[in-house]
Amino acid sequence: MTEAEQRDFIQKKESKILKGNIAAAYAAKSARVQVISAYPITPQTTVVEKLSEFVDGGLMPGTQYIKVESEHSVMASIVGASIAGTRTFTATSGQGLFYMNEMIHWAAGARLPIVTTLASRGPAPPWNIWADYFDVINARDTGWMSAFCSTHQEIYDEILMSYKVTENPDVMLPKFVAYGGFVLSHTSKPVMIEEQDLVDKFLPPLPDEEGWEHIFIDPERPMMHGNLIMPSGFYMEFRMKIHDAMVRAKEKIKKVAEEFERMFGRSYGNGLVQEYKLDGADVGIVIYGDLALQMEQAVDELRDEGYKVGMLKLRYFRPFPEEDIRKAAKKVKVLGVVDRATAFGSPTGGPVSSEVKSTLHNSGIETKVLPMISGLGGREVTLEQQKDQLKILVKMNETGELPDDLLYGTLWHGKLEVE
Amino acid sequence: MSKPEEEKWKKICKSKEERPKVQEYKNWTELPPIPISLPLDGSMGRTGDWRTFRPVINTSECNKCGICWMYCPEGVIQKNEDGDYEIDLEYCKGCGICATECPTKNIEMKRESEM
């Protein structure tokens, strides 16, 4: 397609006004997923509700929709379907993901390219159903990749990109696509739903009857997997292989983001991170998920006021983009890290700030890091608060001193103060 | 194009005919992405190591009925050229089913430490 043709093509496309959850359902439809297994949980439910409408209405011919009695069974059935050689999809949230936990390990250990969306919510108790990324971060060491979305369009796009990454023969790891419950799942924005033939061209072909290369169900080629390995066997080495695939996935993620931009015209930085006005900045802020969108505006407004601030939007938590973090840290003198999640007892703040700090350790980079925790359990984070977070970093840079109001080295920003 | 170290497991996965008698890997780079067990001799390693009691067939008294061969859950009892039954001690776990089922009581379970 020539550039002019591309432009014409883009202009002919129409966007739909969609809730984040519905955008996720459309993405699964566009990706032609073959097996969906579902159990409802707030705030994810409307993803699988919409998909059941699609399947029932004949809009997803050939797709099997399995209703089960729990999240544990959701993942068990998805693992089975994926072993049989199908493109699979499910969605869950918070406690649902925790209940699924055992099967999540089986999915990663069997190296199955399952994509699961999470309308992330705070963990109970106390009961909470609002935006908080604790659920996806809790699955950190399961062998699943995990990505955060900060816009409705990104939910749709990220799910499409996910299948291209996970089904790469060198990767073959499952992946979570997380977005904030309610803030993204239940609000509406325009979302471009791509032409089916273009999506088909972008994604790898659906697995054929042979199934995946490394795992299949074929009476002609009998095999058993998930077997017992004695301590003298290759158990440790199989874990090394998962780690190796995860780290090497970073290159694939970058390549897929590039291809996505070429084909659909939407850019997501290098795939792993998106820099925003970090060049020439004195202080920067690392942020992820829904909070990143509004932080762009906070950066813009402070830049207009003359503050040299910038931000780095983290798109992936696993694999962790350590090279990009170092590159960003080198550009600034003070780096804040905003977590919408907790890591109780951690000596280095929230889950992402811990990663950032350990990435910078022994790297020769002198940038100061301030861990911040903000917006837990769906607590509203206003534009003014985000500007304040940036100003705290600016002040830290000017005075060279940490803010006073820290709890064991971490700034819990936006605490309630009742008069 | 697959890397040379991947050729080994890809062959095992693709074709039943090309499967080797025993799955053997030198190091982690040669391993398949997941642990797989194939219906081959010794897919669990040399299970003869597990044995506490060894079945010993009294060949001169054996009537060659083949009941031990039929009952052996591991398929390690075979008839040799002379028509006698032999047990592959590399893989016999010493469960003793053959000795229990032998109608002429000509298989004795002997403690390995006494062999």
Side-chain angles (χ1 to χ4, degrees):
Chain A
M1 229 192 284
T2 66
E3 259 183 54
E5 279 172 332
Q6 265 179 353
R7 208 177 313 119
D8 290 347
F9 187 72
I10 288 164
Q11 278 162 1
K12 259 183 267 167
K13 285 192 295 192
E14 281 176 26
S15 61
K16 291 177 191 290
I17 306 289
L18 298 179
K19 292 189 172 106
N21 275 350
I22 309 301
Y26 268 98
K29 178 171 171 285
S30 294
R32 293 188 188 274
V33 298
Q34 293 160 295
V35 179
I36 300 159
S37 181
Y39 189 79
I41 184 167
T42 304
Q44 162 279 137
T45 306
T46 52
V47 179
V48 291
E49 256 176 29
K50 191 70 191 173
L51 282 168
S52 75
E53 273 176 45
F54 286 152
V55 173
D56 192 47
L59 294 172
M60 294 177 76
T63 301
Q64 299 283 316
Y65 191 97
I66 313 171
K67 290 170 286 181
V68 290
E69 84 295 347
S70 74
E71 283 86 359
H72 188 276
S73 301
V74 164
M75 195 43 69
S77 53
I78 286 283
V79 164
S82 186
I83 289 173
T86 58
R87 187 172 287 169
T88 52
F89 178 84
T90 189
T92 191
S93 296
Q95 310 297 116
L97 179 61
F98 307 150
Y99 192 25
M100 205 183 259
N101 201 41
E102 189 215 349
M103 295 315 298
I104 281 168
H105 288 268
W106 280 95
R111 305 289 296 274
L112 298 170
I114 298 165
V115 175
T116 298
T117 60
L118 302 174
S120 288
R121 75 181 225 190
W127 280 117
N128 188 283
I129 52 173
W130 296 275
D132 188 309
Y133 293 99
F134 182 90
D135 52 7
V136 62
I137 279 162
N138 187 55
R140 186 187 70 177
D141 299 334
T142 55
W144 283 58
M145 293 184 278
S146 47
F148 305 109
C149 301
S150 55
T151 69
H152 294 64
Q153 184 68 57
E154 196 174 3
I155 296 171
Y156 178 83
D157 295 349
E158 186 57 40
I159 292 169
L160 293 188
M161 285 191 269
S162 293
Y163 283 106
K164 201 167 168 104
V165 173
T166 58
E167 290 177 13
N168 185 308
D170 287 341
V171 179
M172 279 288 165
L173 287 170
K175 184 178 157 189
F176 291 120
V177 177
Y179 50 92
F182 291 102
V183 279
L184 287 180
S185 69
H186 285 64
T187 54
S188 296
K189 281 273 183 78
V191 179
M192 193 72 83
I193 303 300
E194 295 297 342
E195 299 285 328
Q196 188 63 54
D197 54 346
L198 212 55
V199 177
D200 290 346
K201 228 170 93 186
F202 174 71
L203 287 180
L206 289 169
D208 59 16
E209 281 175 11
E210 298 261 293
W212 312 113
E213 205 165 14
H214 68 292
I215 194 164
F216 39 79
I217 298 175
D218 182 355
E220 293 300 313
R221 298 176 294 158
M223 68 122 93
M224 187 183 104
H225 89 95
N227 32 311
L228 179 82
I229 303 185
M230 305 301 269
S232 58
F234 279 117
Y235 181 87
M236 175 167 147
E237 288 73 10
F238 278 113
R239 311 306 278 179
M240 277 172 78
K241 283 190 92 75
I242 294 178
H243 182 63
D244 184 49
M246 179 79 87
V247 174
R248 285 193 299 158
K250 282 193 274 193
E251 287 312 309
K252 319 285 178 202
I253 291 162
K254 286 180 187 174
K255 230 177 100 192
V256 167
E258 247 177 63
E259 282 171 44
F260 187 88
E261 189 180 349
R262 260 205 310 279
M263 193 161 254
F264 300 109
R266 287 187 293 278
S267 165
Y268 293 100
N270 72 356
L272 294 163
V273 296
Q274 273 176 284
E275 271 193 23
Y276 191 71
K277 300 194 175 174
L278 263 186
D279 288 318
D282 288 333
V283 309
I285 201 155
V286 178
I287 193 161
Y288 54 92
D290 49 90
L291 292 177
L293 184 64
Q294 188 178 252
M295 187 57 92
E296 273 185 24
Q297 199 185 338
V299 167
D300 284 343
E301 291 191 13
L302 284 199
R303 279 270 180 178
D304 288 345
E305 291 171 32
Y307 295 99
K308 289 181 181 168
V309 295
M311 78 173 222
L312 185 77
K313 180 178 129 182
L314 187 73
R315 295 193 73 246
Y316 269 80
F317 181 56
R318 282 293 180 272
F320 193 76
E322 72 233 45
E323 297 87 358
D324 299 299
I325 295 287
R326 286 198 202 105
K327 212 174 112 192
K330 265 187 208 164
K331 293 184 178 182
V332 296
K333 296 186 195 85
V334 175
L335 193 64
V337 185
V338 181
D339 268 300
R340 191 169 212 168
T342 43
F344 302 124
S346 158
T348 43
V352 171
S353 65
S354 295
E355 302 290 340
V356 171
K357 280 203 159 194
S358 56
T359 295
L360 299 185
H361 181 67
N362 280 355
S363 67
I365 298 166
E366 296 295 314
T367 307
K368 283 186 187 143
V369 176
L370 179 67
M372 299 181 185
I373 287 177
S374 176
L376 294 186
R379 169 77 53 81
E380 190 185 5
V381 181
T382 62
L383 179 63
E384 285 309 312
Q385 282 174 332
Q386 291 196 309
K387 283 163 77 177
D388 184 52
Q389 289 169 2
L390 288 167
K391 279 182 185 166
I392 288 168
L393 298 173
V394 170
K395 194 177 163 206
M396 208 174 129
N397 183 38
E398 281 165 0
T399 62
E401 278 169 25
L402 287 167
D404 304 326
D405 192 21
L406 302 184
L407 183 69
Y408 310 117
T410 301
L411 182 70
W412 293 62
H413 194 270
K415 295 185 289 294
L416 286 181
E417 299 286 350
V418 182
E419 282 167 28
Chain B
M1 275 299 286
S2 54
K3 296 172 212 65
E5 64 266 24
E6 289 180 349
E7 292 302 324
K8 197 181 264 183
W9 72 259
K10 284 192 176 172
K11 234 182 227 172
I12 287 169
C13 285
K14 269 198 177 122
S15 152
K16 198 176 170 183
E17 285 68 38
E18 282 177 277
R19 285 180 176 179
K21 283 295 278 178
V22 181
Q23 272 199 89
E24 271 178 341
Y25 303 102
K26 281 199 206 86
N27 56 43
W28 75 285
T29 58
E30 283 189 358
L31 291 175
I34 57 167
I36 51 177
S37 186
L38 304 172
L40 300 169
D41 286 353
S43 55
M44 270 305 293
R46 295 201 162 84
T47 47
D49 293 356
W50 301 9
R51 206 169 49 238
T52 309
F53 292 97
R54 179 188 295 190
V56 179
I57 303 174
N58 180 1
T59 314
S60 56
E61 294 294 315
C62 167
N63 68 359
K64 303 179 180 35
C65 64
I67 283 178
C68 57
W69 165 81
M70 199 159 66
Y71 273 91
C72 174
E74 298 298 328
V76 295
I77 303 181
Q78 295 296 329
K79 208 174 195 172
N80 68 13
E81 283 165 3
D82 304 334
D84 293 332
Y85 284 93
E86 277 180 356
I87 297 172
D88 184 353
L89 295 174
E90 283 281 291
Y91 300 114
C92 167
K93 294 170 181 166
C95 67
I97 289 173
C98 55
T100 305
E101 296 299 333
C102 178
T104 58
K105 298 292 161 213
N106 272 313
I107 304 178
E108 194 187 341
M109 298 304 289
K110 289 188 174 169
R111 202 170 263 283
E112 278 293 333
S113 56
E114 290 164 9
M115 295 302 291

